[in-house]
Amino acid sequence: MSKRKRLKRNRIIIIFSSILFFICACVVGTVIFKQYKHITVEVDGEKYSIGTFSKTYEEVFKNQNIIVNTYDKVSVDLKSNIKDKSDVIIERAYPASISCDGKTINVYSTKKTVEELLNDQNIALRANDIVTPSKEVETTPAMEISVTRIDKLIEAKEEEIAFSVVEKEDNSLTKGEENVVEEGINGKRQIAYEVTLENGVEISRKEISSEVIAEPVDKIIAIGTKEIPKPQIAIKDPEPQVAIKDPEPQVATQDPEPQVATTPSGNVIICTATAYSPYDGGSYCDLTASGARATRNPDGYSTIAVDPNVIPLGTKLYVKGYGYGIAQDTGGAIKGNKIDVFFNTTEECINWGVKTVEVTILN
C-alpha cells in the first residue's frame, strides 16, 4: 500500500475515533448531568443553595452536616429522591412544658402559638379555662405554659328559717304565769348557688335564687295579766282580846295618865319598825317574852318588841306614827336599832309595812 493511502486511512480512523469519543462524551455527560441536582434549603432562618449528586434528601443533609432532630419538621420526606430545584424547609422543634389537669409534661414542638401547641398535644380548652401565657402568644424555646380549668356549677341546698316567739296577754292567767299555746316550727328555704371551681377547688360561691318552701310557724306563749288577789284574813275574831286577855297585868304596867296630848321628852333614836299580830304563827297567840299579854291600846301604852341590849324591857317609848308603848317583847329578828310594833290584826300589820321611825325613850 502506498504511503498516500496509508495516511488517508489513518486520517479517516482519527476522525472516526474523535467522532465516536465525542458521542460517548456527550452520552456520559448527559447521564452525569441528569444525576446532578440543585436544591435550596432553609434552616434556622438561613437559606442555602446546594448542588449534589446524592439520591435522597437524607444523604445530602448528611453530606452537608445539616442535623435534623427527631421532632424537627421537614417539608419533604427525608428518604425520598431529590427533585431538582426543590425548596426544602427545616423547622427546628423547641422544648416547652405544659401544666394541665394536675400534671406537667415536657414536649418538643414547631408550633408557632400557644393555642397551636396545645392543639398539637390534644389538650382541649373549654370556654372558661385560663391559659398562661394567653393562647395568642407566640411560642419561644423553654416556654412554660399552664392551663387552669375553670368549672361553674349550680348547687342547691336547704336552710332552716327560725321561728319567732309571740307573746299574747291572757287575763285567765295570773301575773307571772306563762302557758305555751302553740309550739314553734322552723321553716325551710331552698337556695341556689353558682359555684366556681378552679382546678376542682371551690374559689367562690354566689347566691342566684332563694325560695321559701315551708313557712315557719310562730311559737305562741300566753302571758298572765290577772292581778294576784290580796291574802284574805280567814281567821278574824272581832274582839279576841276580850275573852282571853288577862286585864290585871296590864293595869299594873300602864300609866293611868299617859302624856298623849303633850310632846314626849327623852332620848330619841332612829329605828327600823316592823309590825306583828297574834296571828303571825298561824294560830292565835298574844303571850310576850316578858310574860305579859300583848295589847294594842291607841289611848294608852301598846306592846312593842325590842332588842333588850338597846332598849331594856319595861322601858316606856313613844314611836312617831304609832303612839306610846312599852318594851315588853323580843324577837329573833329584832336586833340593834329595830323594833316590832304590835297590832291586833294581820291587815293592820300589812298596812304598816316597814318604816324608819323616831323612837323617843321616855324619861
Side-chain angles (χ1 to χ4, degrees):
M1 182 179 293
S2 67
K3 184 177 180 180
R4 181 177 292 179
K5 287 182 178 180
R6 285 199 301 271
L7 289 172
K8 185 179 181 180
R9 189 184 62 180
N10 289 338
R11 189 177 295 136
I12 292 171
I13 292 172
I14 290 171
I15 292 170
F16 179 79
S17 297
S18 297
I19 294 171
L20 182 62
F21 177 77
F22 178 76
I23 293 171
C24 290
C26 288
V27 171
V28 172
T30 301
V31 172
I32 292 174
F33 180 76
K34 286 184 177 181
Q35 290 180 345
Y36 184 80
K37 302 291 189 299
H38 182 272
I39 64 174
T40 300
V41 178
E42 182 180 342
V43 60
D44 296 330
E46 299 289 338
K47 285 186 178 182
Y48 303 93
S49 181
I50 301 173
T52 182
F53 288 101
S54 300
K55 290 184 178 181
T56 65
Y57 293 100
E58 188 175 35
E59 290 176 0
V60 71
F61 292 159
K62 184 176 181 181
N63 294 333
Q64 296 294 323
N65 292 322
I66 298 174
I67 299 173
V68 179
N69 295 313
T70 303
Y71 297 101
D72 291 344
K73 182 180 178 181
V74 185
S75 61
V76 296
D77 183 356
L78 293 178
K79 297 188 180 297
S80 64
N81 292 328
I82 295 175
K83 292 181 180 180
D84 188 31
K85 298 181 181 179
S86 60
D87 293 325
V88 181
I89 300 175
I90 300 175
E91 296 181 54
R92 294 295 190 191
Y94 55 83
S97 67
I98 303 173
S99 298
C100 180
D101 298 327
K103 59 183 179 181
T104 300
I105 59 173
N106 296 313
V107 300
Y108 284 86
S109 177
T110 59
K111 299 302 179 182
K112 301 300 182 183
T113 66
V114 171
E115 184 174 23
E116 291 174 353
L117 174 56
L118 294 175
N119 290 336
D120 187 51
Q121 297 298 319
N122 296 319
I123 297 176
L125 297 177
R126 296 178 297 211
N128 297 314
D129 290 347
I130 299 174
V131 181
T132 307
S134 62
K135 297 183 293 183
E136 298 78 15
V137 172
E138 292 186 358
T139 54
T140 57
M143 175 177 276
E144 295 180 354
I145 302 170
S146 67
V147 178
T148 302
R149 298 294 193 191
I150 303 296
D151 295 302
K152 292 183 180 292
L153 53 90
I154 304 301
E155 181 181 297
K157 63 182 296 186
E158 289 186 359
E159 293 183 356
E160 286 193 341
I161 306 172
F163 63 80
S164 300
V165 178
V166 178
E167 295 182 351
K168 292 186 176 181
E169 294 183 349
D170 189 336
N171 59 13
S172 67
L173 301 175
T174 57
K175 285 185 176 180
E177 287 187 317
E178 294 183 0
N179 183 37
V180 177
V181 178
E182 185 174 359
E183 291 290 350
I185 301 175
N186 287 335
K188 289 183 180 180
R189 176 187 291 111
Q190 188 174 65
I191 303 176
Y193 296 94
E194 182 185 70
V195 182
T196 301
L197 304 177
E198 186 176 288
N199 289 333
V201 178
E202 181 178 330
I203 60 169
S204 67
R205 175 180 293 258
K206 180 175 69 174
E207 183 178 319
I208 57 176
S209 67
S210 178
E211 180 184 1
V212 176
I213 57 178
E215 294 286 352
V217 176
D218 293 339
K219 180 177 182 179
I220 300 175
I221 300 177
I223 305 298
T225 60
K226 186 170 66 174
E227 293 290 340
I228 300 175
K230 291 183 178 180
Q232 301 295 321
I233 306 293
I235 306 174
K236 191 171 183 181
D237 187 348
E239 295 185 1
Q241 308 298 334
V242 176
I244 58 176
K245 268 188 176 180
D246 184 359
E248 295 300 327
Q250 304 304 325
V251 174
T253 59
Q254 286 185 354
D255 188 347
E257 294 181 2
Q259 304 299 318
V260 176
T262 62
T263 301
S265 61
N267 294 329
V268 177
I269 61 174
I270 303 302
C271 293
T272 300
T274 55
Y276 74 107
S277 76
Y279 301 100
D280 285 357
S283 60
Y284 186 88
C285 179
D286 63 353
L287 189 64
T288 66
S290 64
R293 299 286 181 181
T295 183
R296 169 61 174 148
N297 186 1
D299 298 323
Y301 288 92
S302 301
T303 300
I304 299 176
V306 299
D307 180 353
N309 294 320
V310 178
I311 302 173
L313 291 176
T315 303
K316 294 181 179 180
L317 307 169
Y318 176 79
V319 180
K320 192 172 183 178
Y322 177 73
Y324 289 91
I326 298 177
Q328 287 184 313
D329 206 354
T330 61
I334 308 304
K335 300 295 181 183
N337 283 28
K338 186 173 181 181
I339 62 174
D340 205 11
V341 298
F342 180 81
F343 286 103
N344 289 323
T345 66
T346 302
E347 188 173 1
E348 289 176 291
C349 295
I350 294 173
N351 291 334
W352 174 268
V354 179
K355 299 180 181 181
T356 300
V357 297
E358 292 181 0
V359 178
T360 302
I361 299 175
L362 299 178
N363 294 326

